[in-house]
Amino acid sequence: LLAWVGVAGCSALFVGWPQRDAGLHALDPYNAGLRALGIGDLAAAQRELERAAATAPDLAPVNFALGNLWSARNDHSRAKGFYARTVALDPGHADAWNSLGAVAILEAAWPDAARCLERKIALKPEDALTYYLLARVRMELGDRAGARVSIREALRCQPGQPEFEATLRELGPD
């Protein structure tokens, strides 16, 4: 009986002890921020996501969501900073690499765009749109052979897509 009381007492103490995981405290404002972002309430999204970031600044999903917020506000410089922070925290975050590539395209930073999109493809190789974007970037870089390879991969992933077929025609024969 004494052993059971000791186990029950330790269990109660453990359950009642305050949690130190910042990620748990960031979860509610993070989810509220995502919901607000999803319905286009950017002010509420910013408020909630900044609360989440204040609690857990080193969580990649929070930084990625803040990048999406600033992208929605057309502040691509701030978005880029949050996407870069996301991949610094989680180099395997494929969507952040894709978003960094998209920002680089907007900046006409073609080598950076190619590097980011290639990284996204290495992480998620079946994304037809990323292959298409990489083909367009390679065209800007003057790499027509590389662009052909990329657009053919896009068509392999998503056969019959009119934009992909038009890009292949635009590239002409090998």
Side-chain angles (χ1 to χ4, degrees), residues 91-141:
H93 198 296
D95 292 334
W97 284 109
N98 192 69
S99 295
L100 277 171
V103 171
I105 289 170
L106 291 172
E107 296 173 340
W110 308 119
D112 290 341
R115 181 182 55 80
C116 292
L117 295 172
E118 287 165 354
R119 182 73 177 126
K120 161 64 177 340
I121 287 169
L123 295 165
K124 283 188 179 177
E126 297 302 316
D127 187 348
L129 181 58
T130 305
Y131 282 111
Y132 169 74
L133 292 173
L134 182 57
R136 302 304 303 188
V137 166
R138 287 179 170 167
M139 289 170 70
E140 291 291 338
L141 289 169

Side-chain angles (χ1 to χ4, degrees), residues 155-171:
L155 283 163
R156 180 190 60 77
C157 294
Q158 194 172 340
Q161 181 67 27
E163 293 88 355
F164 302 170
E165 290 176 344
T167 299
L168 185 60
R169 283 191 302 277
E170 181 182 343
L171 284 165

Side-chain angles (χ1 to χ4, degrees), residues 34-82:
L34 288 184
R35 281 191 301 277
L37 191 57
I39 63 170
D41 185 350
L42 301 183
Q46 182 176 348
R47 181 179 61 252
E48 295 299 329
L49 291 172
E50 286 179 348
R51 278 184 53 218
T55 304
D58 293 334
L59 286 181
V62 171
N63 282 276
F64 182 69
L66 281 163
N68 288 342
L69 167 73
W70 291 108
S71 182
R73 289 189 169 214
N74 290 315
D75 188 336
H76 300 294
S77 177
R78 285 185 84 174
K80 180 180 176 180
F82 282 106

